Amino acid sequence: MMHSLRVMTIATLSLATAALVGCGDDERSNNENKSCSVQAQSGCGTGLVCEEVEGGEPACFSPVAFKGKVVNALDDKPVQGARIVARDANDAAVSPVAISAADGTYTLHVPAKRNGEGKPLPAKLTLRADASSYQTFPVAPRIALPIDVDTATGSPPVVQNASTDIALVPLQNASGLGSIAGHVVADEGVDLVPAGALVVAGGSTGIVDFDGNFVVFNVPVSTSVDVRAYAAGLQISPKTVAVEAGKETGNVELHITSAATAEISGKLSIVNSNGFSTTSVVLALEDTFVEDVARGEVPKGLRAGGVTGDFLFKGVPDGKYVVLAAFENDGLVRDPDTSIGGTQIVHIEVAGQNITLAESFKVTGSLATESPGKDGLEEVTGTPTFVWADDSSEDRYEVRVFDAFGVKVWEDLAVPSVSGSKTVSVAYGGEALIPGMIYQFRATSIKDDTPIAQTEDLRGVFIAR
């Protein structure tokens, strides 16, 4: 039986503390008179990896391993064949891919820079998981919180507990879908690395791993599917392939032809900020954009953080993007009043040219989410009650509930304003929630039939039990 701690890894994973094993006597006997290469992973004995050492030369160590289990979120059954990869803070893949076994278990070796004693230094990684017939993890509003690599335990260092299990949400209809597998390589003379690039095919995505390999699951059947890959600084040529139901289209080779050099610049203004002054702007791929919830997948490097006014993206590859501001939990949201300038969702197409957005974005303070999902994925039973902070100047509220796929499952567009209370609450009134399904509620305050504030893009997330 999966409990809440296991399911919470949809939003976060954690490790337990310990030191790693350095090059002991037995390990040195396997590496006598040999240098150790981190890039080539050569020079170490069987079962050892070459890691960077702070203030010293690379050395051989037992690798840090994440161990866990991938399961179906709705019935706890194991998911076989899921691809799990570790990514750094910039969403670059830093590990090979681990494949879950028939019982759903996986072992993923991740890099860990060491101190002089061989212990891993502080570093944060996140996980991504993809599987046939399942939604990718993480996809907004689900987020993967950082894992502290320096908290591994054992010899060899292993983490294996409820927090390393991953629950994937099954697709509602997986018929008529195939997959695409391939490799990204750099053309001769192009010294660029594809690890972490986002591959898109038929609206589905996959991640390029540390070895340049990728698999895109759940691609709609077609005789003509464009396969494209995106990452800041990389110009990768697309390829068109055919996809058959239940089959894999393999050996698809994409080429990095040059560096991407386009720059996208703009400006945002923060008004009625409730004391918050810094946000972010992202370039989401239009092929992955869900209009109703205004979200999409963001390729590696196409996020500008710490924005207070002007923002700039460098090395943007050719493609179609949706520019989204304040798309994180920072107390700010895009101004929902689309009747005024600077609040429309902006779509752009990059074809090697620099683009300066003509109009600034307006960003405003969010309505604080109280429950469920105030601080992360929250488990609820029965009929949930949604609670958020009162706006104080509204005529009424609108509240909507979406499932993990961005499909609206219920709404109440006439929630009365409140007086004398700091919060607003409304009970869910739709059809029974599906146990194990991920949901999100969003509330919007209305004044004179105009939206004036709303809850944040990545809060209010809960799982039904």
Side-chain angles (χ1 to χ4, degrees), residues 278-294:
T278 303
T279 188
S280 65
V281 182
V282 300
L283 301 183
L285 290 173
E286 189 167 273
D287 283 349
T288 69
F289 186 63
V290 182
E291 189 77 33
D292 284 348
V293 286

Side-chain angles (χ1 to χ4, degrees), residues 279-331:
T279 188
S280 65
V281 182
V282 300
L283 301 183
L285 290 173
E286 189 167 273
D287 283 349
T288 69
F289 186 63
V290 182
E291 189 77 33
D292 284 348
V293 286
R295 68 191 187 216
E297 292 195 57
V298 179
K300 165 190 169 184
L302 297 186
R303 174 188 178 274
V307 179
T308 59
D310 296 327
F311 60 86
L312 173 66
F313 295 93
K314 294 184 177 181
V316 181
D318 292 353
K320 295 181 179 180
Y321 302 92
V322 182
V323 188
L324 300 175
F327 193 69
E328 59 186 22
N329 292 327
D330 54 14

Side-chain angles (χ1 to χ4, degrees), residues 345-388:
I345 292 176
V346 177
H347 297 253
I348 61 173
E349 182 170 2
V350 178
Q353 83 282 27
N354 296 340
I355 297 176
T356 299
L357 301 180
E359 195 169 29
S360 65
F361 286 95
K362 285 187 173 61
V363 176
T364 188
S366 64
L367 296 175
T369 301
E370 295 297 329
S371 68
K374 177 180 180 179
D375 298 315
L377 183 70
E378 185 174 335
E379 185 173 305
V380 303
T381 57
T383 301
T385 295
F386 308 120
V387 185
W388 64 92

Side-chain angles (χ1 to χ4, degrees), residues 219-249:
V219 182
V221 169
S222 174
T223 58
S224 181
V225 177
D226 290 334
V227 186
R228 302 177 183 274
Y230 302 84
L234 304 183
Q235 197 65 38
I236 303 175
S237 60
K239 183 164 287 189
T240 302
V241 302
V243 176
E244 298 181 52
K247 296 184 179 180
E248 178 181 274
T249 301

Side-chain angles (χ1 to χ4, degrees), residues 171-193:
L171 300 180
Q172 294 169 318
N173 183 3
S175 62
L177 302 177
S179 61
I180 299 172
H183 192 76
V184 180
V185 298
D187 282 350
E188 186 175 352
V190 178
D191 187 20
L192 296 170
V193 178

